[in-house]
Amino acid sequence: VCYLQQVHRMLPSVCELESMSSDKDVFICEDGVRVSFLHNVGPHISSLNQSFSSDISLLQLLHGFFEFYSEFDFVANCLNPVNGTTELKNKKWQKSSAMDIINPIEPALNVSYNVNASAVRLLSERCREASKRCGKLVDNQPGADLSAIFGGKQKSKKQKAFAIPNISDVGLDVKEEAERTQSKPSES
């Protein structure tokens, strides 16, 4: 969302959708949160999506996505889909974490609050690798194919299944680490 908002202006900010809303666009969530943003975007599509008439390909968008997030400085910056910008990270924000993305429905919350630094590092690394692979496809380099983006090998004739990594491989096994820490005898 943030990439498409900031780089291509394909998606409007939440503020823009709210400013265009009417009484018909108000919705109260089960938890009492009130949201109000334009639902019928059809009549406004060309102004809301400034790339509507663009000839950019899906592959170019995918390449740009990977490039954007491989270069994004998550330590210093915060993504804000509410106003469609990147802002300096407020480290005093109670909800700040390794990755800060303002929640568009409840801006006091960080939708990525539970993402740790090793997961952010892994995201950046994988986006960098995918960007390089997409770049080869965009540039029509010999031997490049779409499966290369996801780590597949072109020469293999067998279809490889997409594998989701084990949670401990990406450094998210906090429960196991906590149990290990608690079970160690204290040194006195």
Side-chain angles (χ1 to χ4, degrees):
V1 169
C2 296
Y3 160 68
L4 295 175
Q5 283 180 324
Q6 294 179 37
V7 177
H8 297 286
R9 306 286 184 231
M10 284 185 160
L11 296 176
S13 69
V14 174
C15 287
E16 190 174 355
L17 291 173
E18 286 175 342
S19 72
M20 299 174 77
S21 69
S22 69
D23 292 339
K24 294 184 287 183
D25 298 312
V26 174
F27 181 79
I28 308 294
C29 301
E30 287 181 18
D31 60 357
V33 174
R34 180 185 189 273
V35 294
S36 175
F37 55 87
L38 180 67
H39 286 79
N40 183 11
V41 297
H44 312 279
I45 197 75
S46 60
S47 65
L48 294 174
N49 178 353
Q50 294 177 22
S51 293
F52 185 71
S53 298
S54 170
D55 61 351
I56 192 166
S57 71
L58 288 175
L59 182 57
Q60 290 168 319
L61 285 173
L62 187 60
H63 180 237
F65 171 87
F66 289 132
E67 190 171 48
F68 180 82
Y69 287 106
S70 71
E71 296 172 357
F72 193 83
D73 185 355
F74 288 102
V75 173
N77 296 314
C78 169
L79 293 163
N80 188 343
V82 176
N83 62 24
T85 63
T86 293
E87 301 172 349
L88 287 175
K89 186 181 272 195
N90 177 0
K91 298 195 183 203
K92 293 181 181 179
W93 183 31
Q94 184 179 352
K95 299 297 181 181
S96 185
S97 69
M99 177 187 288
D100 287 356
I101 303 173
I102 306 290
N103 183 328
I105 304 297
E106 295 184 78
L109 301 178
N110 178 0
V111 296
S112 54
Y113 182 70
N114 63 337
V115 177
N116 68 26
S118 62
V120 172
R121 190 172 43 259
L122 185 62
L123 170 71
S124 296
E125 289 170 9
R126 295 300 188 257
C127 284
R128 199 169 5 271
E129 291 168 14
S131 176
K132 288 177 187 174
R133 291 174 179 161
C134 276
K136 289 178 181 179
L137 289 170
V138 169
D139 296 340
N140 291 317
Q141 289 184 10
D145 71 0
L146 196 56
S147 68
I149 295 170
F150 302 105
K153 295 184 179 169
Q154 180 193 14
K155 294 181 182 178
S156 173
K157 296 195 181 204
K158 292 182 180 179
Q159 291 285 338
K160 293 195 176 188
F162 179 77
I164 297 175
N166 186 316
I167 202 159
S168 61
D169 293 340
V170 293
L172 298 176
D173 201 0
V174 177
K175 183 178 178 184
E176 183 179 300
E177 181 64 30
E179 289 172 355
R180 220 177 312 144
T181 305
Q182 290 174 352
S183 66
K184 283 185 181 178
S186 62
E187 295 178 19
S188 308

